[in-house]
Amino acid sequence: MSLLLNQALAQMLPSARVKEVTLPGINKIRLWLVDPEPIDRAFSSDEIIAILEHTPYWGFCWGSGLALARFILENPEEVTGKRVIDFGAGSGVVAVAAAMVGAEVIACDIDPISQLACKENACLNKVSFQVAEDLLALPEMEADLLIAADVLYDRENLPWLDIFFRFAPEVWVADSRVRNFSHSSYQLADTFNANTVPEMGEPYEFSSIRFYRSV
């Protein structure tokens, strides 16, 4: 049990905890994720406020990250030996997958608890990678590939699509939230099906993941 992550969850709800989860379709990867059982109930108004203030985005393996982790493990030649930035890393699932196939990885997320989750999940999977807080503080053009999964949930984040090229000549983006994504520097490469873990009761359309590559 990850005591540090449970302490972080207690800021949201004292009864919340993480559990070790083997990801569907990826037996090689295990993550510390939110255990839905102890919080499967109605919440008071104060609890709802606490959940909104301390939402543990790091405690879920979002569908796009799951899809990209599968892709990396099935196509290791795409990242082996490369210097890779996992932007908006969350649980670190993409960073873990890339490290497993021999990439040199930086997992980048502004949330300090996400940074902790990345470290805990790296340890759980017996891999190592660097964890950073701020992409803009990293050296420019020192990576070969930047990967961004589930970061376009808000259209205000779309300017990142241009910023990414300051840090790597090749960019992958996977997302299920923003439709009609059109950018001259990216093309749709594939579509995947993947659900967020643990299940959140999301609309079916969010299980359709669009995978874009830079051109």
Side-chain angles (χ1 to χ4, degrees), residues 120-166:
E120 293 279 294
N121 286 324
C123 182
L124 182 62
N125 289 279
K126 297 181 172 60
V127 297
S128 62
F129 50 78
Q130 182 181 343
V131 177
E133 173 186 356
D134 184 5
L135 175 67
L136 299 179
L138 296 178
E140 295 188 3
M141 295 307 292
E142 287 201 357
D144 301 302
L145 170 66
L146 186 148
I147 303 175
D150 282 312
V151 300
L152 301 183
Y153 51 85
D154 186 334
R155 286 191 172 272
E156 291 186 1
N157 290 342
L158 291 177
W160 282 105
L161 295 173
D162 294 304
I163 296 171
F164 291 154
F165 290 105
R166 289 165 46 187

Side-chain angles (χ1 to χ4, degrees), residues 10-105:
Q11 299 177 52
M12 179 183 72
L13 291 172
S15 60
R17 64 175 184 246
V18 295
K19 69 174 182 178
E20 183 180 323
V21 176
T22 300
L23 298 180
I26 314 181
N27 292 332
K28 289 183 177 181
I29 297 182
R30 296 167 296 150
L31 297 178
W32 293 115
L33 300 177
V34 171
D35 183 353
E37 182 178 350
I39 56 174
D40 184 16
R41 57 176 177 79
F43 299 118
S44 69
S45 57
D46 286 345
E47 287 175 329
I48 291 172
I49 292 171
I51 291 170
L52 292 174
E53 289 181 347
H54 302 285
T55 305
Y57 296 107
W58 54 267
F60 295 85
C61 181
W62 300 90
S64 294
L66 176 59
L68 281 186
R70 285 176 181 163
F71 178 81
I72 289 169
L73 293 180
E74 291 170 0
N75 302 274
E77 71 283 356
E78 294 270 7
V79 301
T80 299
K82 290 184 177 180
R83 293 167 295 178
V84 177
I85 297 173
D86 177 15
F87 175 80
S91 66
V93 62
V94 171
V96 167
M100 279 184 168
V101 299
E104 179 184 338
V105 183

Side-chain angles (χ1 to χ4, degrees), residues 87-90 107-115 132-135 153 160:
F87 175 80
C108 186
D109 200 294
I110 61 172
D111 180 2
I113 308 303
S114 174
Q115 296 163 31
E133 173 186 356
D134 184 5
L135 175 67
Y153 51 85
W160 282 105

